[in-house]
Amino acid sequence: MPLLLSFVNSNKPPAHRFCRLFRQELALFVGLLATSTLGVQAQTTTGTTPSQPKKYQATAPKTQPFGAAAFAPSGKTTLRWLGMGGFFLNSRGTAIMIDPVLGGFDMPLLISFPIAAKAVPRLDAVLLTHADNDHYSVPTTADLAPVTKTFHSTVYVDSLLQNRHLPAAGHTIGDTFRVGQVQVKLTRADHAYQNAYPGMSKRFFQQEDACGFWLETPDGTVWAPGDSRLLPEHLQYPTPDAILFDFSDSEWHFTLAGAVKIANAYPNTPLLLNHWGSVDAPDFSPFNADPAQLAKLVVNPGRIKVLAPGEAYTLKRVKK
């Protein structure tokens, strides 16, 4: 989550409400006008004055709910978009959620979530890229805690989890650890936007407070970059077999142009879209990306995967 969104799950409601109102005012000026094709729906809202044009937002296909059967052992690795920036991965029985938000978000939504947090039967791990509340959800992590072995994140986010007495482990950038069938490595991110706006936080945020994750499964590699500005190393990794792809045109994310650079650096890698089509914010660039725009810009656009929340995607190795 970028500029002026709730960067920490605060226990101070008045400041939180002020931030949200300020965000809504700013959103009138920083959004993109998005139109929708490529088999996704269009969300229409009316302008605040008769002279304003209607705004359009690409929204996700209809949610495909899933239940306990999705967590069972299998002979493959399956990924499911949870909506927002979240994914669920089942790699031959190893169950991992990445940045799950399954309720309790503070903005209007365009989707229903494919599973309720309290309906999750078990998780070997939850991976959290950073502390923004569209990635680290206090309500969701509270509901998942009884069935989760370990929450993994950066050292900073680990401190937030430890303060809530959740089973957590903190890691530095480049660290690796193992979760069942999956080896996980923290990749670098640049998302310390709070420091750019005096008064936004009393804390000075370090670049290593946010991260991405590189997952090595028996069936291929998955890269979850997290929220980040484009870094040179993002274009220099070994070819992943899937990217959990944020293509929003926000200056504290890759930007659309930066996302295209990443896509074209790995021209055969499937792009599993996220961070789009979930939040009702047609004028707010972090949430209003349009797959139709992306398809016009990337090499081999057929690899763009416009998943419905909950839809299963089977991981396969790509030609390197």
Side-chain angles (χ1 to χ4, degrees):
M1 185 189 303
L3 166 62
L4 295 179
L5 283 164
S6 301
F7 57 91
V8 176
N9 291 274
S10 174
N11 293 318
K12 299 179 180 180
H16 179 76
R17 286 196 292 269
F18 172 78
C19 184
R20 183 176 176 184
L21 290 171
F22 192 14
R23 174 191 65 218
Q24 291 170 342
E25 292 295 322
L26 185 67
L28 295 174
F29 300 96
V30 301
L32 287 174
L33 180 63
T35 57
S36 176
T37 57
L38 201 65
V40 296
Q41 306 165 26
Q43 175 74 18
T44 306
T45 59
T46 305
T48 56
T49 66
S51 61
Q52 273 191 322
K54 292 181 179 180
K55 306 295 183 183
Y56 297 91
Q57 183 176 9
T59 62
K62 185 178 179 180
T63 295
Q64 298 181 16
F66 63 92
F71 296 78
S74 71
K76 59 186 178 180
T77 296
T78 303
L79 289 149
R80 299 173 191 265
W81 183 38
L82 299 174
M84 312 284 283
F87 274 85
F88 167 55
L89 178 145
N90 181 344
S91 183
R92 305 193 183 197
T94 297
I96 297 173
M97 283 189 175
I98 304 168
D99 287 351
V101 177
L102 299 174
F105 192 59
D106 67 343
M107 293 177 68
L109 299 178
L110 301 170
I111 63 167
S112 58
F113 295 113
I115 189 169
K118 290 184 178 180
V120 173
R122 65 175 190 88
L123 288 171
D124 295 290
V126 170
L127 311 182
L128 301 171
T129 60
H130 62 294
D132 290 347
N133 73 348
D134 62 331
H135 295 260
Y136 165 42
S137 165
V138 167
T140 297
T141 52
D143 288 340
L144 292 177
V147 296
T148 301
K149 290 182 180 179
T150 311
F151 294 85
H152 294 272
S153 189
T154 63
V155 172
Y156 170 62
V157 178
D158 172 58
S159 72
L160 304 179
L161 295 162
Q162 295 282 357
N163 286 343
R164 295 174 53 219
H165 307 290
L166 298 184
H171 308 275
T172 59
I173 304 301
D175 279 357
T176 61
F177 56 93
R178 193 158 194 90
V179 180
Q181 300 274 358
V182 181
Q183 181 171 287
V184 184
K185 181 177 181 178
L186 274 69
T187 61
R188 195 172 306 280
D190 178 0
H191 198 56
Y193 61 89
Q194 299 90 342
N195 302 333
Y197 306 98
M200 190 176 189
S201 174
K202 293 181 180 179
R203 181 180 187 276
F204 183 85
F205 279 74
Q206 306 290 335
Q207 193 178 61
E208 57 267 27
D209 292 340
C211 71
F213 293 105
W214 186 274
L215 295 88
E216 299 275 357
T217 82
D219 304 295
T221 58
V222 178
W223 178 31
D227 289 2
S228 178
R229 295 194 289 191
L230 183 64
L231 298 170
E233 64 200 78
H234 289 150
L235 307 177
Q236 299 167 0
Y237 293 134
T239 299
D241 297 299
I243 301 176
L244 310 185
F245 199 67
D246 171 14
F247 61 111
S248 54
D249 195 20
S250 167
E251 65 176 323
W252 286 97
H253 293 230
F254 293 134
T255 73
L256 178 59
V260 170
K261 288 182 180 179
I262 290 176
N264 292 344
Y266 311 104
N268 296 315
T269 297
L271 309 173
L272 280 57
L273 304 188
N274 71 350
H275 223 295
W276 77 284
S278 303
V279 180
D280 189 358
D283 293 300
F284 198 42
S285 60
F287 292 137
N288 69 0
D290 186 346
Q293 290 181 307
L294 183 68
K296 298 174 184 177
L297 300 171
V298 302
V299 173
N300 189 12
R303 65 206 170 98
I304 296 173
K305 306 301 178 184
V306 184
L307 299 175
E311 180 180 356
Y313 173 82
T314 300
L315 183 66
K316 297 179 180 178
R317 297 188 187 276
V318 301
K319 294 180 180 179
K320 307 301 183 182

